Amino acid sequence: MRTSFDLPDGTQRNAEPRAAVPEESMPATSLKLTTAPLDQAKPTATLEVDEETGLHLLRIGRSITAEEVDRLLAEDH
């Protein structure tokens, strides 16, 4: 997939020396710096089925508040 994005000036200035050292292009360096953290990231959500109810459970690593549920339901309408 081909994607374009603008780097903030400071970010581009910081990335340029990294691209020059191994003689890589700026796009190759940007790709490497972007994908490395994503490749190492572990999924935080797990999908399970509750044995008692048979309902699907999505565990996201924290409790969801009633306010969050209300906001999500309001956004849905």
Side-chain angles (χ1 to χ4, degrees):
M1 176 173 65
R2 173 166 248 158
T3 302
S4 302
F5 57 92
D6 294 323
L7 294 173
D9 292 337
T11 302
Q12 183 161 348
R13 277 193 298 275
N14 290 338
E16 285 172 349
R18 290 181 167 202
V21 173
E23 299 179 357
E24 285 184 337
S25 67
M26 194 60 177
T29 299
S30 297
L31 179 64
K32 189 184 296 182
L33 293 172
T34 303
T35 57
L38 296 173
D39 291 343
Q40 294 173 4
K42 296 178 182 168
T44 56
T46 58
L47 184 62
E48 303 170 11
V49 176
D50 185 284
E51 291 181 11
E52 289 182 35
T53 65
L55 296 174
H56 291 276
L57 301 173
L58 180 62
R59 298 196 185 276
I60 61 169
R62 65 176 181 83
S63 297
I64 298 174
T65 65
E67 290 81 15
E68 288 175 305
V69 172
D70 290 342
R71 188 178 68 244
L72 290 170
L73 289 173
E75 289 173 3
D76 195 37
H77 293 277

